[in-house]
Amino acid sequence: MNYPKLNFKYSAAAIIAVAVMSLAGCSDNDNDSSAPVEPPVVAPVMQDYSVMITNLTANQPMSPVAVVAQESGSRLWSTGMAASVALETLAESGDSSELAGETGVNELFSGDGVLVPGATQSITMSLEQSSVADLSIVTMLVNTNDAFAGTTGFNLSTLAVDDTTTLRVIAYDAGTEANSEEKGTIPGPADGGEGFNAARDDNDKVHGHPGVISADDGLTDSVLSASHRFDNPVMMIKITRTK
């Protein structure tokens, strides 16, 4: 019986072609490099607050109110201790800008202009949830040598949404400038005198302010009148968590 001859030449070529096509369809896993997976961007959780401040005095304008968000346990002052230079600057001139550099301060918010007697001012702030801790609120009584009013170290984390806390605060004496009430020593409208002075000529301790005396009360060299006297509390603060 005669069998047809196989053409091995063409059969071998076909096998090689199929093998090449098969290899072309395979990927080299060792050389694959997948793109890095970017983690999703998570927006910070914010908490919003409103701080309303009312000047309770008869004739003591207050410097633009400073609201300071701080780390837990931070304080801007302690009675019986020396005032920092930043607090001295505020208490003598009304300038609160240096408080931003104090230890533990996260953010500084400032009111719009002078808070006149009897007026109320509102300051809003939004803080990241992770940085909500303590709050200080402070301002200068500008018709004095170095009186300031406020509160320090209020724990914001105690407030739930829509909670409000009301504080009535006293005036403090920075202890950095003698309460001479003399012409040229008071920056407010009663005198228009000097503001901050680096020299300290008082007891150098923060304490409750004894009040002004004035010319009407027998202090001959005073530029103040009886209208500039004040009783405590000198300021009312309402802190509300709004979100």
Side-chain angles (χ1 to χ4, degrees), residues 11 35 40 67 84 105 117 135 148 212 223 228:
S11 297
V67 178
S84 67
V105 170
L135 195 71
F148 68 95
V212 300
V223 296
H228 297 112

Side-chain angles (χ1 to χ4, degrees), residues 63-115:
S63 64
V65 179
V67 178
V68 182
Q70 300 168 266
E71 296 174 0
S72 181
S74 297
R75 299 291 184 272
L76 290 184
W77 70 86
S78 296
T79 55
M81 303 296 290
S84 67
V85 173
L87 182 63
E88 177 188 12
T89 301
L90 177 137
E92 294 181 10
S93 71
D95 179 6
S96 65
S97 60
E98 292 189 20
L99 295 176
E102 292 289 84
T103 301
V105 170
N106 293 326
E107 291 191 66
L108 171 63
F109 304 86
S110 184
D112 295 326
V114 172
L115 181 61

Side-chain angles (χ1 to χ4, degrees), residues 9-10 13 34 42 46 50 52 63 74 85 87 100 109 115 122 129-130 158-159 161 174 181-182 196 201 213 219 228:
K9 177 180 178 182
Y10 293 106
S34 57
V42 180
M46 306 301 290
S50 170
M52 294 184 65
S63 64
S74 297
V85 173
L87 182 63
F109 304 86
L115 181 61
S122 181
Q129 187 178 51
S130 60
T158 61
L159 297 181
V161 176
E181 303 176 20
E182 292 178 356
F196 172 70
D201 60 357
I213 298 176
L219 187 58
H228 297 112

